[in-house]
Amino acid sequence: MTAWKRILLALLVAAAPFGTAAAAAAAPAASTQVVTADIENFWIAHDAIRREADPARKQRLIQSLYIDRGTPGLHALMQARGYTAEQYVAAIDAWPRYWASVRPLTHRAFAATTGLEADLASLKRLYPALRPASITYAIGVLRTGGTTLDDNVLIGAELALGDDSVDVSELPEPLQTRLRTFYASQPFHNNGQNNIHEFIHTQQIEAGDTLAQYALREGVAELVAELIAGKKPDLPLYVYGPAHEAELKRQFQADRRGNNYRDWLYNSSANRFGVSDLGYYVGYRIASAYYAAQPDKAKAVATLIELRYDDVAMVEALIDRSGYFR
């Protein structure tokens, strides 16, 4: 197996289901900074690598033109998802049609946060204890549309800003099928909610080990994003979930105290349900049930965001108080 094939295989195994330097950063609200400079640098590196034949020089080009010039957000994204210079070069070499199709879409980052100032102002009113965080749009290697590290919201622009025009025909299976479904959901149109969802994660404690801990943490971020946006994201899980709620509740009850997330979180549609990430849906329904039952909505939001997600007993107690499984 050639070196690049080994790297692509590693990517497949690890895959999980988003102008000038002066213009690249903006501060749409006092509580955040949006950084987009890494996108321009990536395409400079991409073009140089496509013109180069020597593998060692390709490695030096991605390192010098993209990684070494990268913002703290890019370096945090690489740390969070384990991206390496070798992986970037392998992906650029192997998937030229993919990169050509996604390239113009990544420039949406320069306008993608136009509503962010208003959204964060609404979020601050909803949750006055909101702490500052930065948002970085950078190019990854197809392993996240959004994640966080400490107070950094990290958006994978090649995923988060895409739509169904992206050409995934060169990608290996099952990544190809997964991303075809993902791009068909028009992720760019969910970008505002994605930003708020990830912003909420910067306010939360990391989850512990059980499915319930992870699912509720994700569900709370989904609920708060909905409260700000006034709608749910257009994702298959919100179509499948209501139609199969009784089945999902039964199976989640059986699985919630374990640490096997394969059917529920960060997965492809190749699971028992045939739909990705239904743990988000169940977590959202638990959080929504808790929120609806509380007379003091501001206190309910604070309780959900500030919950000790690393404490099994506290998470289980809130799930019980939500009444969702009664």
Side-chain angles (χ1 to χ4, degrees):
M1 184 181 292
T2 63
W4 72 263
K5 285 184 178 178
R6 286 196 299 273
I7 296 166
L8 292 182
L9 180 59
L11 287 174
L12 177 59
V13 170
F18 260 116
T20 64
S31 58
T32 193
Q33 180 186 32
V34 180
V35 181
T36 58
D38 296 300
I39 292 175
E40 183 179 9
N41 288 339
F42 175 82
W43 293 116
I44 291 170
H46 168 277
D47 292 347
I49 288 165
R50 294 291 297 160
R51 293 191 296 266
E52 179 57 63
D54 181 75
R57 289 177 183 169
K58 290 176 187 243
Q59 296 293 318
R60 290 196 292 271
L61 286 169
I62 196 68
Q63 186 69 45
S64 64
L65 297 178
Y66 186 49
I67 298 171
D68 289 348
R69 293 181 184 180
T71 67
L74 170 63
H75 296 154
L77 178 67
M78 293 183 67
Q79 177 184 342
R81 282 297 179 265
Y83 292 146
T84 66
E86 193 177 23
Q87 290 173 0
Y88 277 108
V89 170
I92 289 169
D93 281 346
W95 307 328
R97 291 195 300 274
Y98 170 81
W99 294 111
S101 66
V102 84
R103 183 172 191 158
L105 308 184
T106 63
H107 294 295
R108 289 169 162 173
F110 306 126
T113 56
T114 53
L116 184 60
E117 182 176 1
D119 285 347
L120 288 175
S122 297
L123 182 56
K124 183 73 172 177
R125 289 191 294 271
L126 184 68
Y127 179 58
L130 190 72
R131 299 187 305 275
S134 66
I135 298 179
T136 297
Y137 283 77
I139 306 292
V141 197
L142 285 67
R143 291 213 288 273
T144 186
T147 189
T148 60
L149 186 66
D150 300 325
D151 60 352
N152 298 291
V153 174
L154 310 169
I155 305 297
E158 80 283 8
L159 294 179
L161 302 180
D163 58 33
D164 58 2
S165 68
V166 177
D167 185 344
V168 299
S169 62
E170 299 161 315
L171 305 183
E173 290 290 5
L175 183 60
Q176 180 181 142
T177 295
R178 178 176 183 177
L179 290 189
R180 182 174 288 110
T181 301
F182 172 76
Y183 285 123
S185 73
Q186 310 293 336
F188 173 64
H189 298 298
N190 299 321
N191 184 68
Q193 286 162 293
N194 188 42
N195 285 334
I196 296 301
H197 176 109
E198 297 301 340
F199 207 98
I200 291 301
H201 282 331
T202 69
Q203 313 296 303
Q204 294 172 305
I205 291 173
E206 291 291 337
D209 191 48
T210 70
L211 170 62
Q213 288 169 285
Y214 276 93
L216 184 57
R217 187 174 185 269
E218 296 291 359
V220 167
E222 289 287 280
L223 171 64
V224 176
E226 180 189 37
L227 292 174
I228 299 303
K231 62 178 184 177
K232 298 178 181 64
D234 183 17
L235 295 171
L237 64 96
Y238 286 110
V239 176
Y240 184 95
H244 300 82
E245 189 124 13
E247 174 194 356
L248 291 174
K249 289 172 80 167
R250 285 194 302 271
Q251 193 58 55
F252 191 89
Q253 283 281 63
D255 295 346
R256 68 191 253 192
R257 293 178 177 85
N259 59 7
N260 185 347
Y261 324 127
R262 177 175 179 174
D263 289 325
W264 295 101
L265 296 168
Y266 322 127
N267 58 4
S268 73
S269 59
N271 62 64
R272 77 173 75 185
F273 305 113
V275 176
S276 301
D277 295 327
L278 285 164
Y280 282 63
Y281 177 77
V282 177
Y284 160 81
R285 292 288 289 125
I286 294 167
S288 297
Y290 177 85
Y291 178 80
Q294 304 306 307
D296 187 335
K297 301 304 183 189
K299 183 178 179 181
V301 168
T303 297
L304 289 168
I305 292 174
E306 297 169 6
L307 183 66
R308 289 295 304 264
Y309 291 95
D310 59 345
D311 187 313
V312 174
M314 294 186 74
V315 168
E316 289 291 335
L318 189 138
I319 292 173
D320 291 342
R321 291 200 306 275
S322 77
Y324 178 63
F325 291 106
R326 291 177 192 157

